[in-house]
Amino acid sequence: MSLDRLAPAVFVLLWSTGWVVAKYASLHSEPFTFLSIRYALSAAAFLALCLVVQAQWPSRGTALRAVYSGFFLHGFYLAGLWWAIANGVPAGISGIIAALQPLLTAMAAPFLIGERLQQAQKLGLALGFIGIAIAISPKLLDPATADLTHAALPLAINLVAMASVTYGTLYQKKYLQSGDLRTIATLQYIGALILTLPLSLIFEHQHFDGAAQAYGALAWSVFGLSMGGVGLLLYLIRRGQVSRAASLIYLMPPAVALEAFIAFGEPLTLPLIVGTVVVVTGVYLTNRKAFSEHRPAEA
């Protein structure tokens, strides 16, 4: 099986574990501190890999673009998301906000990078969003999430974080289509660290308790998520339509729910099962090989 066929499934599997890791990490470390450690180690790991394989480094202009994209694609996105959840945004609401990303990407892509979708792909994106809404509807209707006035600022930050990763994804597609992905990833994590480290020093006490679970979450964050998941995301963005790559985000909440069922015994509800079927259908329509690849926008 080729990497092109295998990459989307492996990406979803790896990326979905990020929510589980965040749950463990939040018990042992402050969010900006944990992310700063993660980004520093991820940059170091990619740098070591680049040195071993003697990867070619990009020009100064491309290097600066990689740092800039990492600021949004990794830094502001996860920093905003983790902070919002830690400050009162329920996971269900955060999930539906995250599910807006593929739709926002599809709407912005024609204007920013000249990428157009066919009607069936637009239908697939819409179905994916509807499926997510069905899947998490019990959480949205939970009385505990009914009054969110106390979380107005965290909600706003969560929305900005979603917009940030959308912008970072489109910027990656437009300006970083060439060059070694390993060197680009190294520079992107430096860009992310430029954001999270000052936030940690200003707003936190750099708490990291050093428990076994904390180190386990950190190790998986670096090697499973930062190197594996993000590496595949960059590959998928480069190989195909950015809207197709973004549509895979729809699969995250159902995948996380299944992992929570296996790991923690959390129940699989009927809305979750029905929503997952709708989501899978939508992602299939968006990513079918029968549809044309990237086409420039008409004048």
Side-chain angles (χ1 to χ4, degrees), residues 46-97:
F46 266 112
L47 176 60
L49 177 62
C50 291
L51 294 176
V52 169
V53 301
Q54 297 182 337
Q56 183 175 2
W57 290 87
S59 65
R60 180 179 179 182
T62 301
L64 291 175
R65 290 191 182 98
V67 171
Y68 177 79
S69 68
F71 185 93
F72 294 96
L73 188 60
H74 307 314
F76 203 106
Y77 169 53
L78 285 184
L81 180 65
W82 282 38
W83 185 88
I85 291 176
N87 285 273
V89 176
I93 300 295
S94 182
I96 202 70
I97 291 174

Side-chain angles (χ1 to χ4, degrees), residues 1 12 33 50 80 96 110 150 159 162 193 238 261-262 287 290:
M1 183 177 294
V12 170
T33 297
C50 291
I96 202 70
H150 63 286
L159 285 166
M162 182 273 297
L193 185 61
R238 178 170 292 185
F261 170 73
I262 296 173
N287 288 275

Side-chain angles (χ1 to χ4, degrees), residues 25-288:
S26 65
L27 301 175
H28 303 281
S29 177
E30 293 167 301
F32 298 148
T33 297
F34 185 89
L35 288 173
S36 295
I37 299 172
R38 169 182 168 177
Y39 293 148
L41 292 177
S42 297
F46 266 112
L47 176 60
L49 177 62
C50 291
L51 294 176
V52 169
V53 301
Q54 297 182 337
Q56 183 175 2
W57 290 87
S59 65
R60 180 179 179 182
T62 301
L64 291 175
R65 290 191 182 98
V67 171
Y68 177 79
S69 68
F71 185 93
F72 294 96
L73 188 60
H74 307 314
F76 203 106
Y77 169 53
L78 285 184
L81 180 65
W82 282 38
W83 185 88
I85 291 176
N87 285 273
V89 176
I93 300 295
S94 182
I96 202 70
I97 291 174
L100 291 171
Q101 188 213 333
L103 289 177
L104 184 61
T105 300
M107 289 188 292
F111 303 99
L112 297 181
I113 61 174
E115 177 178 284
R116 303 186 65 188
L117 299 179
Q118 295 191 1
Q119 290 300 319
Q121 290 177 291
K122 295 178 182 178
L123 174 62
L125 287 168
L127 279 176
F129 180 76
I130 293 170
I132 288 296
I134 294 172
I136 70 170
S137 58
K139 293 182 179 180
L140 296 178
L141 298 176
D142 191 323
T145 68
D147 181 13
L148 289 174
T149 56
H150 63 286
L153 178 60
L155 274 171
I157 295 298
N158 203 151
L159 285 166
V160 173
M162 182 273 297
S164 173
V165 71
T166 301
Y167 173 72
T169 300
L170 291 168
Y171 187 91
Q172 168 87 21
K173 179 68 176 181
K174 184 173 183 178
Y175 293 108
L176 297 170
Q177 276 294 91
S178 60
D180 194 304
L181 285 176
R182 293 162 295 194
T183 57
I184 288 174
T186 304
L187 295 165
Q188 285 181 327
Y189 282 119
I190 293 174
L193 185 61
I194 289 173
L195 174 71
T196 57
L197 184 57
L199 291 175
S200 171
L201 294 174
I202 295 171
F203 297 108
E204 297 180 344
H205 302 286
Q206 292 76 57
H207 170 68
F208 183 87
D209 65 13
Q213 282 189 331
Y215 282 114
L218 185 59
W220 181 251
S221 293
V222 172
F223 297 105
L225 293 171
S226 293
M227 297 195 75
V230 172
L232 283 172
L233 175 61
L234 299 182
Y235 175 82
L236 289 167
I237 291 173
R238 178 170 292 185
R239 292 288 292 176
Q241 285 182 316
V242 68
S243 300
R244 291 184 183 182
S247 74
L248 296 173
I249 301 299
Y250 281 146
L251 294 173
M252 298 306 161
V256 172
L258 180 59
E259 291 165 10
F261 170 73
I262 296 173
F264 310 118
E266 295 183 7
L268 294 176
T269 63
L270 180 60
L272 177 63
I273 296 172
V274 173
T276 298
V277 172
V278 177
V279 165
V280 171
T281 303
V283 174
Y284 170 74
L285 287 174
T286 308
N287 288 275
R288 259 199 331 186

